[in-house]
Amino acid sequence: MAPRVAGQWALWTFAVVNVVVVEALFLTAGPGKNGTLTVARFFGLHAALLMLLQLLLVARLPWLDRRIGMDRLTRWHRWVGFTLLWTLLTHAVLVVLGYARLDGASMPETFLALGGVPASLLGMLAAAVVVLVAAVSTGYLRRRLRYETWHALHLLLYLAVGLSFAHQLLETTTFGASGSALAYWWALWSSAFGALVWGRLVVPVWRNSYHRFRVAAVVPESDAVVSVYVTGRHLDRLPARAGQFCVWRFPGHHHWWSANPFSLSAAPDGRSLRLTARAAGTTSAGLRHLAVGTRVFMEGPYGAFTSLHRTRPGALLIAGGVGITPVRALLEEHTSGDVVVLYRVRSAEDAVLIGEVRELLGARGGRLHLLTGRTAEGAGPFEPDGLRALVTDITERDVYVCGPPAMTSAVLGALRTLRVPGRQVHAEKFSLA
């Protein structure tokens, strides 16, 4: 079974099995005080399950991440988040409506009355936090907020999870109905919290304590691009692969909470790691001023943009701008088959690491097409006919794509038109490159 398929099967089997268990517990717990409250309980149980799934999707568990990739897990997290929002709101409205019918009161009066009940108040606060985070995650507001502001607000979801957990402890109608139901619920919550703590805290802290990453060298590649070499202890034991990325922090260089995801721009060799960044923000622009010996805090490696997912002998690697970095690392791996690289830049002067790419391709007999020009001026090499003209056997190759969102979308659309099988297509979002 392909690694990506295995990861997806594991994740969705976990989700489906728990949905079945929760619905069985719902049916055996009996009806609520009226029909409306029974339906409200149904939505409440599934909202809790969605919240637990959210924790699993962002836990950054190495086994899942290597097979599915953070890009795909993050996209699922977003859609599960909006599903959670509507499920929570449905649950809340039905609870208020159910008690209003039970007491013969208006919904505003019932809402205020429920606010005086600790269990209900905790649920209301959790729902309010989810609504706030969902609002700032919509495209309109997200584009107008600084990343640091959005990220800080997004962290409030952990508060919502805590409030929701306390709400469920006090509202034990379903899971307090039997000892086995209560044990199941505690086991599920413990597993979700455990996965989150393991992936987001224990693994990064242990790896940084064990490897003790430090800056070994800083090499300007051009006026706007710099490579940083990072060394440490026992790097041969770090489970890193060409094509992956890490989340980097340089505490002595910038605020400790400022983190940037950069791909490894060279295949890990057990002695050092290399990242290459363009000066696109305050953190990346200042990397050229890092002092040798600076302590580095690294999370990862992450990503499924690796040769682990190869299915065909030949490969087509498509990069845009600084998206060449994971592609250049992949070229160092000693894999069989013919390799073609399409490198899209505005001008030849913008082609980062082009000399290294040419050298690596020359050593393995690969081909490079440097595609220059602006799309607005008529340069559109990623139309289906254009791709087929450049690589006539494109449907027989694995295709790796890393570049800006617009370019990546155009390439993926062209690959669908050309009927390149989905299992042969591997894409990395530029924001994680």
Side-chain angles (χ1 to χ4, degrees):
M1 183 181 292
R4 183 187 301 174
V5 175
Q8 291 175 348
W9 266 101
L11 184 61
W12 297 118
T13 297
F14 171 84
V16 170
V17 167
N18 282 285
V19 167
V20 172
V21 173
V22 165
E23 293 187 356
L25 292 175
F26 167 76
L27 293 173
T28 57
K33 295 179 180 179
N34 60 30
T36 305
L37 289 174
T38 300
V39 177
R41 180 155 51 87
F42 175 85
F43 278 97
L45 292 173
H46 288 77
L49 197 57
L50 286 169
M51 194 168 286
L52 292 170
L53 181 58
Q54 285 287 72
L55 293 180
L56 187 60
L57 289 173
V58 297
R60 297 182 185 174
L61 297 176
W63 189 88
L64 271 182
D65 179 78
R66 285 195 297 268
R67 285 158 179 80
I68 298 177
M70 192 185 293
D71 278 4
R72 188 173 280 103
L73 290 171
T74 301
R75 187 163 62 250
W76 292 348
H77 169 76
R78 175 179 173 80
W79 289 114
V80 170
F82 283 112
T83 304
L84 170 63
L85 169 68
W86 292 111
T87 305
L88 270 179
L89 290 177
T90 303
H91 167 69
V93 170
L94 289 175
V95 166
V96 175
L97 179 60
Y99 277 107
R101 288 177 173 176
L102 191 67
D103 299 333
S106 67
M107 289 189 67
E109 290 173 337
T110 304
F111 178 83
L112 292 175
L114 288 172
V117 179
S120 299
L121 179 60
L122 290 171
M124 291 176 180
L125 292 174
V129 172
V130 171
V131 170
L132 172 64
V133 174
V136 300
S137 297
T138 56
Y140 178 81
L141 291 178
R142 175 68 185 87
R143 288 190 294 270
R144 285 160 177 76
L145 289 175
R146 293 181 59 202
Y147 172 79
E148 291 79 8
T149 303
W150 174 84
H151 188 256
L153 290 171
H154 207 72
L155 290 177
L156 289 174
L157 282 177
Y158 293 117
L159 173 62
V161 170
L163 292 170
S164 176
F165 181 61
H167 167 71
Q168 291 166 58
L169 287 178
L170 296 175
E171 292 283 358
T172 56
T173 307
T174 299
F175 295 103
S178 68
S180 59
L182 190 60
Y184 161 77
W185 201 236
W186 272 101
L188 196 58
W189 272 99
S190 298
S191 299
F193 277 124
L196 184 71
V197 172
W198 177 261
R200 300 296 292 268
L201 183 62
V202 174
V203 171
V205 169
W206 182 86
R207 281 182 178 166
N208 282 273
S209 175
Y210 181 69
H211 294 294
R212 298 183 184 178
F213 302 107
R214 292 188 180 277
V215 174
V218 178
V219 179
E221 304 289 353
S222 69
D223 291 341
V225 178
V226 63
S227 289
V228 178
Y229 292 78
V230 175
T231 189
R233 301 188 311 161
H234 311 300
L235 292 189
D236 56 314
R237 300 181 184 178
L238 180 70
R241 296 180 65 105
Q244 290 190 300
F245 70 94
C246 302
V247 180
W248 305 88
R249 287 181 171 86
F250 303 93
H253 160 64
H254 217 265
H255 303 300
W256 65 268
W257 60 83
S258 295
N260 287 78
F262 296 118
S263 289
L264 299 175
S265 59
D269 59 6
R271 299 184 300 276
S272 67
L273 305 171
R274 186 179 79 167
L275 65 99
T276 301
R278 184 182 296 278
T282 55
T283 303
S284 55
L287 290 179
R288 65 178 59 243
H289 304 301
L290 282 173
V292 172
T294 297
R295 189 68 186 268
V296 179
F297 189 88
M298 184 269 280
E299 296 177 52
Y302 300 125
F305 195 74
T306 69
S307 60
L308 176 67
H309 299 274
R310 286 282 296 271
T311 65
R312 309 292 294 179
L316 169 62
L317 311 179
I318 303 176
V322 79
I324 192 65
T325 53
V327 167
R328 182 254 179 251
L330 284 171
L331 290 174
E332 281 191 278
E333 289 196 331
H334 299 291
T335 54
S336 60
D338 176 55
V339 176
V340 178
V341 174
L342 305 184
Y343 188 7
R344 179 78 166 97
V345 287
R346 291 183 178 178
S347 65
E349 290 74 23
D350 295 322
V352 181
L353 305 178
I354 187 64
E356 296 181 12
V357 171
R358 284 195 171 113
E359 182 178 349
L360 289 167
L361 284 171
R364 61 184 302 166
R367 291 175 287 150
L368 169 67
H369 295 280
L370 185 61
L371 310 173
T372 60
R374 295 173 179 267
T375 303
E377 297 172 353
F382 298 130
E383 296 295 327
D385 291 341
L387 281 176
R388 190 185 293 278
L390 290 169
V391 188
T392 56
D393 60 346
I394 190 170
T395 58
E396 301 301 319
R397 296 173 177 267
D398 276 293
V399 184
Y400 287 76
V401 187
C402 184
M407 188 208 86
T408 300
S409 297
V411 172
L412 295 180
L415 295 176
R416 286 192 293 269
T417 301
L418 293 171
R419 300 184 181 277
V420 178
R423 64 181 178 276
Q424 295 171 212
V425 179
H426 319 282
E428 184 85 297
K429 275 182 63 177
F430 182 70
S431 58
L432 296 178

